[in-house]
Amino acid sequence: MEAFVGTGVALITPFKEDLSIDTDALVNLVNDQIANGIEYLVVLGTTGESASLNPEEKELVKETVKKANNGRLPMVLGIGGNNTAAVVEELKSARLEGFDAILSVSPYYNKPTQEGIFRHFKAVAEASPLPVIVYNVPGRTASNILPETINRMARELDNIIGVKEAAGDMVQAMKLISLVPEDFMVISGDDMITLPMTLAGGKGVISVIGQGLPKEFSEMVRLGLQAEVAEAYKLHYRLAPSIELIFAEGNPSGIKSLLAHKGMIQNHLRLPLVEASEALQDRIGDFLKRF
């Protein structure tokens, strides 16, 4: 799937002061991503605070992004959860026009075995009318999808086309890349190791910092895909401090602070998430001035 090689961005959901969705800011954000070289958009992922949106709000976000994008970039929609039957039902009933793939997180909280994870994704793959990208993020799910399990999915489940690998473990990422078929996409879900993963044979990233610094980050990934190692690492080391900053107090509080400093959104999150501390916001502002 060439559409998902390069930099995808996990879009935030901007809120107004009353915590309603700021659709104008969302439209501007989409246009900014497109203008600055991002390859595809990811809608209603963790970064979009999807866990805090009701079904009507999710539809509003989907429609707003779809209209703003107007077919210019491929789009991926987050649909996942820890109740397999509910995920299957949502996939069968969701309005998916305009979207090109599904990003589906590994079941959290329940802590299934590797066999349970495989069977969950088998059910998801069979129910989904769109290709599926598996999302492995042990820091949020409390279970790690092992490279052997992803490889099994890659070879047995036709509708699963890739994995967003966010274990933050370079050794695991390399093992994964070495096991899966060549046309199966291993996509970084960790901004800090995006470049080494890409150079090791990965297909790019679904990024958080990418929406804050889209031009530089997407260029770094393109250089990595072309094996322009020295040039790519120059950009990596320029960008690295921003990645540490935006994740210092969790996601999306950091990236929302950075986007607010850029004047693109108001800095509001829904509980249980809160804005970054004033000290961190100041450090993010200082970084941007230097950058």
Side-chain angles (χ1 to χ4, degrees):
M1 293 288 285
E2 286 299 312
F4 308 116
V5 175
T7 302
V9 153
L11 291 168
I12 60 140
T13 301
F15 297 122
K16 298 176 186 171
E17 199 169 347
D18 65 0
L19 296 185
S20 63
I21 293 168
D22 188 343
T23 52
D24 291 344
L26 187 52
V27 168
N28 291 339
L29 191 62
V30 169
N31 286 326
D32 184 67
Q33 303 308 301
I34 296 169
N36 283 290
I38 294 299
E39 273 84 21
Y40 60 101
L41 303 170
V42 180
V43 183
L44 294 178
T46 315
T47 306
E49 294 175 71
S50 55
S52 314
L53 301 177
N54 66 37
E56 292 73 27
E57 289 171 327
K58 288 183 181 181
E59 282 304 313
L60 177 61
V61 168
K62 275 165 61 179
E63 290 308 308
T64 302
V65 174
K66 196 161 79 177
K67 201 169 167 187
N69 180 47
N70 195 22
R72 290 179 287 176
L73 293 186
M75 295 201 302
V76 178
L77 179 65
I79 297 181
N82 61 344
N83 175 347
T84 308
V87 177
V88 163
E89 195 47 50
E90 189 177 348
L91 282 164
K92 286 180 173 171
S93 61
R95 289 168 52 202
L96 301 175
E97 306 82 31
F99 288 90
D100 302 277
I102 298 297
L103 179 66
S104 198
V105 70
S106 187
Y108 41 83
Y109 187 70
N110 310 16
K111 293 184 83 167
T113 61
Q114 296 299 302
E115 182 62 28
I117 291 169
F118 177 84
R119 289 197 208 171
H120 169 86
F121 279 109
K122 183 173 190 283
V124 166
E126 288 168 355
S128 177
L130 295 176
V132 176
I133 299 167
V134 172
Y135 183 15
N136 183 36
V137 58
R140 288 185 183 274
T141 63
S143 65
N144 182 24
I145 314 180
L146 297 177
E148 292 79 4
T149 306
I150 295 286
N151 183 44
R152 188 180 163 202
M153 290 183 206
R155 293 176 190 278
E156 293 183 28
L157 307 176
D158 290 345
N159 207 24
I160 292 186
I161 59 165
V163 59
K164 178 185 177 185
E165 173 57 42
D169 181 338
M170 196 56 212
V171 175
Q172 176 165 302
M174 288 191 295
K175 185 173 187 186
L176 183 53
I177 290 164
S178 75
L179 286 176
V180 296
E182 203 156 312
D183 61 352
F184 187 84
M185 297 185 303
V186 178
I187 298 164
S188 175
D190 188 310
D191 285 341
M192 195 60 95
I193 60 170
T194 291
L195 182 55
M197 270 184 73
T198 302
L199 293 169
K203 297 293 195 286
V205 64
I206 292 174
S207 174
V208 178
I209 193 61
Q211 76 192 302
L213 302 166
K215 191 173 180 199
E216 294 81 3
F217 199 82
S218 65
E219 181 59 17
M220 178 196 79
V221 174
R222 279 189 290 275
L223 288 166
L225 288 164
Q226 292 155 15
E228 300 279 355
V229 181
E231 287 303 304
Y233 266 111
K234 271 186 208 163
L235 276 170
H236 167 85
Y237 288 120
R238 268 190 78 201
L239 289 157
S242 70
I243 298 167
E244 283 185 3
L245 287 168
I246 67 159
F247 289 107
E249 292 177 9
N251 182 43
S253 64
I255 189 64
K256 280 196 157 180
S257 171
L258 187 145
L259 290 166
H261 274 293
K262 289 181 76 176
M264 298 184 72
I265 64 164
Q266 296 179 52
N267 193 13
H268 303 297
L269 291 91
R270 285 186 178 176
L271 286 170
L273 300 180
V274 293
E275 294 78 23
S277 64
E278 277 187 39
L280 181 58
Q281 291 194 46
D282 289 345
R283 287 167 65 205
I284 289 170
D286 289 344
F287 168 84
L288 275 177
K289 279 179 200 141
R290 292 195 308 277
F291 190 82

